[in-house]
Amino acid sequence: MNSPEKAPKARHLWISQTLEYIIGFALASAAAQSSTPMVPAVFAGLVILNAASVKAPLSAFRLTNGRVHQILGIGLALLAMVAAVVIDVDVATRAMLIGLAGTQGFVSVRFGHGI
């Protein structure tokens, strides 16, 4: 008898992707109106690229699995926090980076493998 296959652990990874696309495009929109747009624009691109490269329904490239996606998301959150402290940017950009670090960290930890 054929036993039904188990659903993969990352079956709801599209939720994480959707949230990351929202975070990335919101950050890109804020970067367009910032006095120092380079730093938030780079981070927006990295967030969108991370969402687009995982093997999941809303992917464009399907290069990484859910675990690598989660590790990259957490690393991106940590990098945004370090950049907020180290890079000399205005207060609004610093707040964007701290907000990115918090939201990306939460999404990566909570929804890293789907629900």
Side-chain angles (χ1 to χ4, degrees):
M1 271 191 181
N2 292 337
S3 63
E5 293 182 28
K6 292 184 179 180
K9 193 173 185 180
R11 68 176 186 242
H12 294 294
L13 196 55
W14 64 271
I15 295 171
S16 174
Q17 282 183 296
T18 302
L19 293 173
E20 286 180 337
Y21 282 132
I22 291 170
I23 292 167
F25 285 117
L27 189 60
S29 175
Q33 300 176 7
S34 175
S35 61
T36 55
M38 185 63 166
V39 175
V42 167
F43 276 99
L46 291 173
V47 170
I48 293 168
L49 183 63
N50 188 32
S53 65
V54 67
K55 292 177 186 174
L58 301 177
S59 299
F61 306 115
R62 299 179 186 261
L63 299 173
T64 62
N65 61 20
R67 182 68 178 152
V68 172
H69 172 76
Q70 182 181 30
I71 292 169
L72 290 174
I74 293 169
L76 189 58
L78 293 174
L79 185 64
M81 188 57 78
V82 168
V85 173
V86 174
I87 297 176
D88 185 29
V89 291
D90 62 349
V91 175
T93 303
R94 193 174 312 273
M96 280 189 270
L97 291 174
I98 292 170
L100 169 66
T103 55
Q104 180 66 38
F106 177 78
V107 167
S108 294
V109 170
R110 175 61 184 96
F111 300 110
H113 287 295
I115 294 179

